[in-house]
Amino acid sequence: MNLLNDEVFAVILALIIVASVFTVAQEFRGIEPFNAIGLLNQECKIGYYPDFVLIGENLTLCIYIYNYMGSPEAYMVVYKFGTPDTLPTNTTPSPEPALWNYTVVLNHGEEALLKIGAPIPYRPDMIGDNASLIFELWMYNTAKGEWEYTGRWVHLHVVVREVPLLG
């Protein structure tokens, strides 16, 4: 008895052809190139972010960056300290001055996890008020020879204190 008769062979061949066409179509369609930035707590996990910060401290946090642009890319994370009114948008960076930046080159499909110390500057106008720790993602444009804001950012709202509360 022939286990692989003509009908079974035809069904298997049809399944292989359909799967091949589907695979090729997916490859040609591709996935839209993108990059990403994320903010994690001091243990490099989501959640349990601090509610307040002290002037002069370096707040430990983690920044996650992902490159899915189809090629190696140079990224720069720019840290700014501002208010909820000075957050960036999808098209413009925050008007606040940069306090530091960190650059990294990532291959396509590569990610980076950066443990950072975000300095809390002395800004008397913010004591007791909400402040925003702003982390913007910039990408180097090799054709123009300059850094460009990607429209991606993360932020953390905190209350600024001069000294810790006791009790």
Side-chain angles (χ1 to χ4, degrees):
M1 177 162 109
N2 186 0
L3 293 177
L4 194 60
N5 63 29
D6 290 339
E7 291 175 7
V8 173
F9 182 73
V11 169
I12 290 172
L13 187 59
L15 288 173
I16 290 171
I17 290 171
V18 168
S20 298
V21 168
F22 179 75
T23 302
V24 169
Q26 290 297 328
E27 192 64 35
F28 282 119
R29 188 184 90 199
I31 296 175
E32 181 89 17
F34 69 94
N35 46 44
I37 184 171
L39 180 64
L40 305 169
N41 67 20
Q42 67 183 14
E43 297 169 358
C44 298
K45 299 188 184 297
I46 295 176
Y48 302 106
Y49 300 98
D51 295 326
F52 68 92
V53 294
L54 300 176
I55 290 174
E57 81 172 307
N58 275 327
L59 184 64
T60 301
L61 295 167
C62 292
I63 301 290
Y64 172 84
I65 306 168
Y66 182 70
N67 175 29
Y68 199 87
M69 297 298 290
S71 61
E73 299 292 344
Y75 290 100
M76 178 171 56
V77 175
V78 177
Y79 168 61
K80 299 177 178 181
F81 186 78
T83 67
D85 296 330
T86 62
L87 289 177
T89 69
N90 291 340
T91 56
T92 58
S94 170
E96 296 290 343
L99 297 177
W100 63 249
N101 62 58
Y102 183 83
T103 57
V104 63
V105 175
L106 298 176
N107 287 317
H108 171 73
E110 193 175 16
E111 59 190 28
L113 187 60
L114 315 170
K115 197 160 199 169
I116 55 104
I120 308 303
Y122 181 70
R123 297 251 318 247
D125 59 317
M126 290 188 177
I127 295 172
D129 284 335
N130 287 330
S132 298
L133 284 68
I134 303 165
F135 303 91
E136 299 170 343
L137 186 62
W138 293 65
M139 192 166 74
Y140 192 73
N141 182 327
T142 54
K144 294 181 179 177
E146 63 186 34
W147 291 97
E148 291 182 343
Y149 175 59
T150 64
R152 303 198 191 298
W153 85 94
V154 290
H155 65 274
L156 177 65
H157 293 302
V158 292
V159 174
V160 179
R161 295 188 181 153
E162 280 190 278
V163 293
L165 294 179
L166 301 175

